């Protein structure tokens, strides 16, 4: 366990010692500032609830987090091969699966940190400018509830929103990590991963409109779990959607492990 902790610490250091990591974090926090301040000056005369802006910023922020996590995950293994440092890593007395696991855990921890920062900063920063009364979700001009109904406070909805988004983030991060392992080129893995993040946003809703039963078993359809908060999902259930994602997650993880175990490092 001690050796694995050192391995995990080493992988985290690789992430946080890079300038791009802090640039991405800065961009995430700057997003909140650049959205909140102009809205504050444009709506000084209205009693706007902070939860309305928190929802908008969370939606855009999560898109950035998904993209940033894809960049980190896609480069985690592929960049080791590109730079040749993978040989130095594998000659150490660590089993390959432990090396792979430490890399993926570090990616998940990065994603979790970004989510926590976004959650805390959107609430704290908007708390300074807008009315922070914990209103019900229905009172926020219908933005929180969409076409369905959500009975509860905006604060509780916001927490559930983040939980639903994080489940999808775990799946997309695993896909990016798989691409990082399959492809030796870090640039190719990063490019494909970012393309996947953006395409999943547009392809999923379109595929979901196809009236065939087999569509329910495609993971693209279930990457957006937020509609389950309002019941606006037809006959599908949250349990079924998470189960489908879990199966794909396991398949992607198994393929990642298999490829990394069998890869000829000397090639």
């Amino acid at each position: 366990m001690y050796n694995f902790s050192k391995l995990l610490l080493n992988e985290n250091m690789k992430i946080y010692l890079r300038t791009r990591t802090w640039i991405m974090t800065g961009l995430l926090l700057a997003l909140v500032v650049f959205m909140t301040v102009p809205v504050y000056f444009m709506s000084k005369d209205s009693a706007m609830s902070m939860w309305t802006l928190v929802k908008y910023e969370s939606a855009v922020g999560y898109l950035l987090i998904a993209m940033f996590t894809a960049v980190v995950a896609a480069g985690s293994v592929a960049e080791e091969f590109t730079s040749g440092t993978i040989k130095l890593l594998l000659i150490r007395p660590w089993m390959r699966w432990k090396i792979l696991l430490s890399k993926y855990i570090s990616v998940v921890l990065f994603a979790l940190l970004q989510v926590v920062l976004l959650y805390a900063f959107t609430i704290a920063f908007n708390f300074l400018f807008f009315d922070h009364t914990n209103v019900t979700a229905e009172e926020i001009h219908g933005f929180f509830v969409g076409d369905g109904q959500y009975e509860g406070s905006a604060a509780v909805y916001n927490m559930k929103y983040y939980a639903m988004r994080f489940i999808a983030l775990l799946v997309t991060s695993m896909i990016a990590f798989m691409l990082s392992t399959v492809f030796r080129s870090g640039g190719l893995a990063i490019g494909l991963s970012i393309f996947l993040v953006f395409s999943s946003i547009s392809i999923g809703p379109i595929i979901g409109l196809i009236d065939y039963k087999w569509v329910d078993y495609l993971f693209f359809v279930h990457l957006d779990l937020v509609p389950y908060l309002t019941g606006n999902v037809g006959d599908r259930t949250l349990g079924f959607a998470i189960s489908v994602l879990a199966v794909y997650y396991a398949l992607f993880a198994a393929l990642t492990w298999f490829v990394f175990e069998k890869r000829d490092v000397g090639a």
Side-chain angles (χ1 to χ4, degrees):
M1 179 61 70
Y2 173 72
N3 288 335
F4 183 77
S5 299
K6 291 178 62 178
L7 187 60
L8 183 60
L9 177 62
N10 181 57
E11 292 302 325
N12 277 279
M13 289 177 60
K14 290 179 182 179
I15 294 177
Y16 295 105
L17 288 178
R18 291 185 174 180
T19 304
R20 75 179 183 190
T21 300
W22 298 104
I23 292 176
M24 290 187 294
T25 303
L27 288 175
L28 183 65
L29 300 182
L31 165 73
V32 178
V33 176
F34 291 146
M35 289 184 69
T36 296
V37 174
V39 173
Y40 170 72
F41 286 106
M42 290 186 295
S43 60
K44 270 190 171 182
D45 298 330
S46 62
M48 181 178 178
S49 172
M50 67 174 244
W51 296 106
T52 301
L53 201 53
V54 164
K55 179 58 174 67
Y56 279 106
E57 292 170 352
S58 298
V60 180
Y62 243 108
L63 178 60
L64 284 181
I65 292 175
M67 184 174 64
F68 295 159
T69 303
V71 170
V72 173
S76 180
V77 179
E79 289 178 354
E80 297 273 13
F81 282 96
T82 301
S83 62
T85 54
I86 189 66
K87 296 180 181 180
L88 299 176
L89 190 60
L90 293 181
I91 62 175
R92 297 180 181 182
W94 291 316
M95 299 181 68
R96 286 197 176 194
W97 70 267
K98 287 187 177 182
I99 294 175
L100 194 66
L101 180 60
S102 67
K103 285 183 173 294
Y104 181 67
I105 291 178
S106 65
V107 170
V108 173
L109 290 176
F110 169 81
L112 181 60
L113 176 61
Q114 298 296 302
V115 169
V116 171
L117 281 175
L118 179 65
Y119 179 84
F121 194 66
T122 52
I123 293 178
F125 195 71
N126 285 289
F127 183 90
L128 299 175
F129 293 91
F130 300 104
D131 176 29
H132 50 271
T133 304
N134 189 15
V135 298
T136 61
E138 290 84 353
E139 291 180 67
I140 307 182
H141 309 296
F143 184 82
F144 275 90
V145 297
D147 296 327
Q149 293 293 325
Y150 178 81
E151 296 181 1
S153 69
V156 173
Y157 179 93
N158 192 53
M159 289 188 289
K160 292 182 178 181
Y161 176 90
Y162 270 75
M164 295 297 185
R165 289 295 188 194
F166 190 72
I167 293 174
L169 182 60
L170 287 177
V171 178
T172 54
S173 66
M174 174 53 75
I175 297 174
F177 192 70
M178 177 188 68
L179 293 175
S180 177
T181 306
V182 172
F183 296 103
R184 292 179 179 270
S185 171
L188 179 60
I190 291 174
L192 288 175
S193 299
I194 293 177
F195 172 77
L196 176 67
V197 169
F198 283 100
S199 62
S200 64
I201 298 173
S202 56
I203 293 176
I206 296 175
I207 295 179
L209 296 175
I210 302 176
D211 190 19
Y212 288 100
K213 190 63 179 177
W214 57 266
V215 173
D216 292 341
Y217 297 94
L218 300 177
F219 77 92
F220 272 115
V221 178
H222 304 290
L223 282 178
D224 185 8
L225 298 175
V226 175
Y228 288 95
L229 293 177
T230 62
N232 186 31
V233 288
D235 297 330
R236 301 189 186 104
T237 64
L238 178 60
F240 175 77
I242 293 178
S243 298
V244 172
L245 291 177
V247 170
Y248 278 100
Y249 184 91
L251 290 175
F252 295 146
L255 178 60
T256 302
W257 172 83
F258 177 80
V259 171
F260 191 72
E261 284 286 333
K262 299 300 181 181
R263 170 144 289 173
D264 180 9
V265 178

